[in-house]
Amino acid sequence: MSRVRVATPLGLHIPGTSVVHRAPAGLKLALLAALGTVVAFVREPLPALGLLGFVAATWLLARLPLRALRQVRGVAVLLVALGAFRWWAAGPGAAVGMVAGLSAVVLAAAVVTATTPTDEIVAVLVRGLRALARVPLLGRVVVPESFALAVALVLRTVPTLLDVAQGARDAARARGVRGPRAWLLPTLLRTVGHAVRTGEAIHARGLLDTARTS
Amino acid sequence: MTAPATTRTPRRTPAERARDLALIATFAALTAACALTSVAFSAVPVPVTLQTFAVLLAGAVLGPWRGTAAIGLYLAVGAAGLPVFAGGTGGLASFAGPSGGYLMAFPFAALVVGLAVRAAGRRGPLGTGVAVAVGVTAATALTYAVGVPVLAARTAMDAAAAWTFNWGFVPFDAVKAALVVVAAPAVLRAFPMLRGARAPRALAPEIAAA
Amino acid sequence: MGGTAVPPTGVLELDGAGVAVVDGEGGTRTLLHPTTLTLSERRVAVVGANGSGKSTLVRLLDGLLTPTTGAVRVHGLDTRRDGARVRGLVGLLFADPEAQLLMPTPLEDVALSLRHLPRRERTERATELLVDVGLGGHLHQPVATLSGGQKQLLALTSVLAAEPAVLLADEPTTLLDLRWKAHVEALLDALPQQVVTVTHDLEAAARAERVVVVDGGRIVADGSPAAALATYRDLMAGLPPELAARDAR
C-alpha cells in the first residue's frame, strides 16, 4: 500500500448559457433518472447506441469542454473491464449493448453535473424532502432545511479532509514511518476533531435555531 | 439546572444536534474523500478505493443512527450528480450501473456495524474491537447479498459468475474491514463523547435521504 | 464593514458561573471555577496560558457551553434559557477558519448568515459585503482554494453579516502572517460592536480598554491593560508548570 492517488477534487460545474444550462435542474434530474431506468432494460446494441448518441448530442448542445469528462474516468475503466468480460461470455453484440447503454447514463450524469450549479440540485432535493415532510409520519423525521445545509457542508468538507490526509501523509513521511496506519489514524482523529469544531460553528452561527422556527 | 454537563438528557440539546449534524456531514465527506482516494496495494495492479472502509467506519464510530444518516447523506449527495463515488463518478448512473446494488446496501452496512458496537456496550478496547469485527463481517456479508444479485441482473451474468467476479474483491474488503477493526476503537477512545450518542427523538433529517 | 447601525453596548455577565466536566477516569475536572464578572467595555481582551480556561470563558458567553454552576447572561438574556436569542446577539470568530466556513463558496457562506432575507436580496447583500472587504473577485471560488488570510477575512465577514451586537474572537490572528494580522486587527478595531478577544498577543491586548487574565480556571487579574498585563508577564515567567513539576520530582 505505498502509492496513493487522489481523484478529481469537487467543483465539476462548468458555467454556460446553453439550453442545457438553462433547463430547470428538476427536469434534468428527472430525465437522468428516466434514462437510468430505460437503460436498465435495454440489452440490444442499436437502441443502446441510439441513447448514447442522444446523450452525446446533449453534450454538444451544452458546448462542454473535454475536461468535463474527467469525472467519468473511473467508471470508464470498470465499463471496459465488464465489456471485455461480456464480449468473452456473450459476444460482441451483447458487450456493445451493455457498454453503450451504461455509458449513456454515465455521460448524461456528467452533463447534468457540469451544467447545473450545486445549489440548484440541492434545492430540488429539498423540494423533494418538503414533499416527504408533508407525509404524516415522515414529517417528524424530515427537516429539509438542515438537509440542504448538510449537503453543502459535505461539499465544503471534502477538500478539507483531502488536505488533512495529505498533511498526515507528509508528517508520516517526514518521520520516516510508512504504511497506512501511520497516516490513517492521525487523519481520522483530526477528522473527528474537525467535525466537533464544525458543530460548534453551526451552533454559534445559530443555523439550527432558524431551521427550527422557519 | 445545575446538573453536570455530561448528564444524559432525553432530548438532545441544540449544541448536540449541531454536533450530530456536523459529524454526519463530516463522515459523509470522509466517505467521499476515501472514495476519491485510491490506494495501490503493492501486490495488485488494480487501485482500490477506501470507500467501503469509510462506510463501515461511520457505523462503528458514529453509531447506528448517525452512521446510517452519514452514509445516506453521502449517497444523496452522489445521487444529486456530484462526483463523490469511487473514482470521481457520481449521479444516478452509479445506482443504475453494474455496481449499484453495493451502493444501495451501504447505509444498511453502516447500520449493522453501528448496532453491533452499540450492543456490545462500553467495553475496553479489546471488547469494542471484537464487536467491530463481528459488525463489519456481518455488514460486508449483507453488502454482498444485495450487491451480487444486482450485478448479475444488470450485466446479464448468471449468479455463479457474479459471485466469482465478487470473490475478486473479497481480499481487499477483508483488508479494509481489518483496518476498521484497528481504527474504530482508537477513534472511540480518543473521543469518548462519540459514545454518548443515542437515537434522537426525531431522527436526524439525513436518515430520510437514505 | 457590516455595521450599518451601531448596536448598543450591552452587558455580558458571569454570575457565579463555573464549568466542571467528567474526565476520562470518571473524576471531575474544573475548567472554570465559579466566576462573577461584568463586562460592559467596548474592547475587552482575555489573556491566559494554554488550557487556562480562557476559551471556556468565551464559549460560556456564546452559549456554546452552559455553566454547570451559576448563570451567564448576555444583555440580560440567560444563555441556557434563551440560547437561540443569545446566539443571535453574539458572533463567534475562531482562530482556525477551516471549521467555521460551512459553505463551498464565499458567496454562499456569507448568504448563510443572511437567511432572514429573501433569496435575491440575500445574494445582493452578500456580494456587497464581500466586495466591501476586498473579496469581490472570489465570490464563487471554492473556499478550499482561498489563502489562510482570505479564509479568516471571509469568516469574519460571515459572522458580521448576521449583525451581532457582540463579537467574541478566539485568537483571531494566531494563524495569520503579519500583513493579514495587521489587516484583521484593523478591521476588528474599527468595529462599532463590543468585541471580546482571547489572545496571546500582548500588543493587541494592550489596545483593549480592559484586560482579564485567566489562570488555572480562575480570574487572577482584571483591569487596565498596563496593570493586568504586568501581572500576566510575572505569571508567565519561569517554566510551564507541567515541566516545573517534572523538575521538582
Side-chain angles (χ1 to χ4, degrees), chain C residues 120-143:
Chain C
R120 184 167 297 265
E121 252 176 84
R122 209 185 294 172
T123 310
E124 276 170 19
R125 180 87 185 114
T127 307
E128 233 171 75
L129 291 171
L130 283 165
V131 169
D132 279 354
V133 297
L135 288 173
H138 307 276
L139 298 178
H140 300 287
Q141 187 181 335
V143 166

Side-chain angles (χ1 to χ4, degrees), chain A residues 156 160 203 205 209-210, chain C residues 59 87 98 101 109 115:
Chain A
R156 165 73 189 95
T160 302
H203 186 56
R205 288 177 75 172
D209 301 333
T210 42
Chain C
R59 280 165 167 67
R87 288 189 288 279
E98 201 56 50
L101 299 172
D109 201 78
R115 290 177 322 289

